[in-house]
Amino acid sequence: MKIGFGSDHGGYELKMKIMKALAKEDKYELFDFGSFEGEKADYPIYAKKTADAVVNGDVDLGLLYCGTGIGISIAANKVKGIRCAHVSDPYSSRMAKEHNNANMLALGGRVLGEELALEIVHAFLNAEFQGGRHQNRLDLITKMEEN
Ligand code: RB5
């Protein structure tokens, strides 16, 4: 599975910790779309770079990080085809995939500790979209994007 990562300075540290943890698991290809080195950065730029990679199929899923996870999720959801869920607990994270078929998650680097963030990420990566009635609802969202 190919996973894209994006952050601003507020999410940079958590992004790096999660990338390091997932790299050890040896089953993911990880791609960092910036920002780099923790420099001050505008989150919409990195939301877009990562979201574009998801929509283009360069990566399967995207994991975004800013201070709260809010700004970067709002920005990512402006990209057509993106369903980015801003979550702070493993249950919502699993549901984001099972019911909403989210293709991106947004986490708050100033909100979550590393262990909880990793649990949240695993809940997302290990879950499967359930389809059925949930697909009908996603189709309604897609229609909204087209109008
Ligand atoms: C940057 O200071 C901060 O506003 C940003 O990381 C994010 O939390 C915005 O939603």
Side-chain angles (χ1 to χ4, degrees):
M1 186 190 289
K2 294 182 180 178
I3 308 175
F5 288 77
S7 73
D8 71 355
H9 52 289
Y12 175 77
E13 267 185 41
L14 185 60
K15 176 183 73 171
M16 298 314 291
K17 286 176 181 165
I18 300 296
M19 284 189 76
K20 202 171 163 190
L22 291 186
K24 283 190 198 145
E25 292 180 31
D26 238 19
K27 55 182 172 181
Y28 303 111
E29 271 187 83
L30 309 179
F31 300 85
D32 190 355
F33 294 97
S35 62
F36 302 105
E37 313 296 339
E39 80 275 11
K40 279 237 182 283
D42 295 325
Y43 58 78
I45 294 169
Y46 302 97
K48 175 145 172 55
K49 281 179 197 265
T50 316
D52 284 347
V54 171
V55 165
N56 296 337
D58 297 333
V59 295
D60 301 302
L61 296 170
L63 300 177
L64 296 175
Y65 307 80
C66 68
T68 57
I70 297 170
I72 206 157
S73 66
I74 292 172
N77 279 314
K78 299 293 179 195
V79 175
K80 196 173 171 185
I82 290 299
R83 292 176 300 279
C84 180
H86 170 222
V87 293
S88 297
D89 68 275
Y91 174 77
S92 302
S93 185
R94 178 163 65 84
M95 285 298 127
K97 178 68 77 55
E98 289 188 358
H99 287 194
N100 312 113
N101 202 15
N103 47 17
M104 301 191 87
L105 270 195
L107 305 181
R110 294 174 183 158
V111 180
L112 299 170
E114 180 182 351
E115 290 303 315
L116 178 56
L118 197 54
E119 258 189 64
I120 290 169
V121 165
H122 278 135
F124 182 64
L125 297 178
N126 295 331
E128 279 184 30
F129 179 49
Q130 290 178 351
R133 67 186 190 280
H134 304 296
Q135 184 60 56
N136 300 340
R137 293 161 188 161
L138 297 186
D139 291 344
L140 291 170
I141 295 175
T142 302
K143 265 193 204 152
M144 288 168 69
E145 274 183 334
E146 280 157 11
N147 291 330

